[in-house]
Amino acid sequence: MKIQENVSLGELTTFRTGGAARYFASVKNISDLKIAVRFAKEKKLPFFILGRGANVLVSDAGFCGLVIKMEIRGIEVKELLNKKARAIAGAGEEWDSFVAKTVKRKLCGLENLSFIPGTVGASAVGNIGAYGTEVKDHILFVEALDTETMKVKKFSNKECSFGYRESFFKTKEGKKYIVTRVTFSLKKNGALKTDYKDVLEFFENKKIISPTQKNVREAIIEIRKKKLPDVSFVGTAGSFFKNPVVSKRKAGALKETYPNLPFFLSGEKSVKIPAGFLLDKVCGFKGYKKGNVGTWENQALVLVNYGGATTKEILDFADVMKKKVKEKTGIDLEMEVKVIK
Ligand SMILES: Cc1cc2nc3c(=O)[nH]c(=O)nc-3n(C[C@H](O)[C@H](O)[C@H](O)COP(=O)(O)OP(=O)(O)OC[C@H]3O[C@@H](n4cnc5c(N)ncnc54)[C@H](O)[C@@H]3O)c2cc1C
């Protein structure tokens, strides 16, 4: 494995902005990964794991350390008794191709997470979610390299401490681990989740009464294509902010000013408010554009690089949005996208 120098990172991310990595290594197996980590340690440099770059923003000054591009591949499927199955995938496998393979084998569980850009490893790190499903509901184990002991450890689902776009691997203690492989628990011809509003409407319109798993995947892809920008043409990292979680009391007070404010239970005393609603209906940011940066025409939560934007422009734009939401609602929006600096 070759360690390259001064590799431009912009095109390796879906936002397509930012500077170069001082050092860069593509790792295809655990032995490559260990070599890369040892290199960074010897040079006393920080390292950063890059998957598809669909949830990151690279600083304009680049990254003064080693970027490790995760390319550990391999998919293994084991069908067990009672229609149960396990699918094991390398952290560098492309997420949607992996989902497509499970759907082809009629192994249910991941179909609602179709068409999310990224890698298998990052899906566990960020506990991706969409259309009523979170990946944590189907993860059995996560294997990860401990960069201190240089040994691979197997984490149970519980040990991963999954939360909303969170996991142990995002915590201070968990950051020393690099995910190498994930084992998913799936079910042959299992139950499908079609009760999400957009999905229900899709099947109603198409007059499909008993959708199959393949129908669900196709529906999700079609809905996402209509709602979200195509990363092949438009620079974006999807939802820029997390949906804020606030107390029920706070949500009740806001509902007096904004009677249409939607929210979902998120604990005994808290609710989750769609950040998209705050940015669109409360602050009027849908389709707003300034210079090379804007929000997507169909979704104010999705920030877009319309071409030639810098990371600073995107962060400044996001700051304006954050301030307006705070001013109007008192809520502090938290970024979902991670800045590499
Ligand atoms: C158009 C669009 C739509 C999207 N829709 C959704 C959606 O519906 N739901 C959703 O949840 N997300 C969504 N996202 C966000 C994104 O797709 C996910 O966060 C995805 O999991 C990112 O994967 P990645 O491989 O690109 O990770 P990267 O962006 O490369 O990395 C993300 C973070 O994970 C860390 N990381 C990556 N791999 C590893 C590893 N192997 N070990 C340790 N750390 C690692 C990185 O260091 C970084 O901190 C969307 C993004 C876009 C562009």
Side-chain angles (χ1 to χ4, degrees):
M1 180 201 48
K2 197 170 163 245
I3 296 191
Q4 296 166 263
E5 291 189 54
N6 301 319
V7 172
S8 175
L9 294 173
E11 285 304 317
L12 298 176
T13 72
T14 53
F15 246 132
R16 301 202 189 87
T17 63
R22 174 72 187 88
Y23 295 100
F24 182 90
S26 284
V27 299
K28 294 197 161 40
N29 49 51
I30 290 181
S31 146
D32 280 356
L33 181 58
K34 286 184 179 171
I35 293 171
V37 172
R38 284 198 182 106
F39 174 87
K41 279 185 179 177
E42 275 161 24
K43 289 208 173 291
K44 296 193 170 36
L45 288 171
F47 57 82
F48 186 90
I49 311 301
L50 185 66
R52 168 65 184 88
N55 206 26
V56 294
L57 247 182
V58 179
S59 130
D60 294 316
F63 182 67
C64 191
L66 171 70
V67 168
I68 300 175
K69 175 99 170 80
M70 177 50 68
E71 286 188 352
I72 298 178
R73 297 199 195 279
I75 295 176
E76 201 186 319
V77 177
K78 291 179 190 165
E79 292 197 27
L80 311 166
L81 295 173
N82 299 329
K83 297 189 171 180
K84 286 184 182 163
R86 283 185 187 184
I88 307 160
E93 280 291 340
E94 206 246 319
W95 173 255
D96 192 51
S97 313
F98 169 63
V99 174
K101 283 193 176 118
T102 63
V103 173
K104 208 163 179 196
R105 292 186 65 154
K106 298 190 170 64
L107 302 176
C108 297
L110 304 177
E111 52 286 343
N112 289 33
L113 302 174
S114 290
F115 217 56
I116 296 181
T119 53
V120 165
S123 77
V125 174
N127 181 25
I128 58 169
Y131 299 98
T133 299
E134 281 183 301
V135 76
K136 74 169 172 62
D137 303 334
H138 300 281
I139 288 180
L140 207 54
F141 305 113
V142 173
E143 286 161 71
L145 178 76
D146 178 337
T147 57
E148 278 171 14
T149 63
M150 299 303 271
K151 289 199 173 108
V152 173
K153 186 178 164 186
K154 196 169 180 177
F155 293 79
S156 67
N157 180 299
K158 200 171 169 216
E159 285 171 313
C160 294
S161 301
F162 290 117
Y164 167 56
R165 301 294 179 271
E166 290 294 342
S167 73
F168 166 73
F169 306 101
K170 280 192 167 183
T171 63
K172 207 172 163 216
E173 196 193 338
K175 278 192 179 143
K176 67 170 178 170
Y177 291 95
I178 301 172
V179 174
T180 54
R181 216 155 71 134
V182 185
T183 302
F184 299 85
S185 167
L186 305 170
K187 194 147 193 202
K188 187 111 185 176
N189 298 316
L192 301 170
K193 262 193 190 171
T194 54
D195 53 353
Y196 203 89
K197 189 173 154 272
D198 291 1
V199 181
L200 271 180
E201 276 173 14
F202 180 93
F203 289 129
E204 264 169 33
N205 291 341
K206 298 251 167 179
K207 300 197 173 22
I208 298 176
I209 295 157
S210 303
T212 62
Q213 184 195 22
K214 189 166 167 271
N215 292 149
V216 174
R217 174 167 162 81
E218 285 163 359
I220 301 275
I221 293 176
E222 211 173 305
I223 295 167
R224 291 183 69 96
K225 279 188 175 168
K226 273 199 192 127
K227 265 195 160 173
L228 294 162
D230 180 344
V231 290
S232 328
F233 304 104
V234 182
T236 182
S239 302
F240 198 86
F241 299 103
K242 288 183 180 179
N243 292 322
V245 175
V246 302
S247 68
K248 281 185 181 167
R249 191 199 288 196
K250 166 94 185 151
L254 279 171
K255 218 162 162 59
E256 283 179 18
T257 320
Y258 307 105
N260 295 331
L261 182 88
F263 54 75
F264 310 94
L265 281 182
S266 165
E268 242 177 62
K269 292 186 179 158
S270 52
V271 295
K272 199 190 280 174
I273 298 180
F277 181 91
L278 301 177
L279 294 166
D280 174 9
K281 307 286 183 222
V282 175
C283 299
F285 278 122
K286 188 147 91 179
Y288 174 66
K289 200 176 165 199
K290 192 170 177 236
N292 299 317
V293 186
T295 60
W296 186 237
E297 58 203 19
N298 300 329
Q299 176 53 275
L301 185 54
V302 174
L303 264 64
V304 169
N305 167 8
Y306 280 107
T310 62
T311 294
K312 184 174 180 308
E313 275 181 273
I314 295 168
L315 290 173
D316 287 349
F317 188 95
D319 212 40
V320 170
M321 298 174 93
K322 256 186 87 135
K323 283 191 178 133
K324 185 136 187 208
V325 170
K326 175 79 178 171
E327 188 188 298
K328 292 223 159 203
T329 65
I331 293 174
D332 282 305
L333 286 185
E334 194 191 326
M335 270 174 68
E336 185 176 318
V337 174
K338 164 103 185 134
V339 180
I340 309 181
K341 57 182 176 195

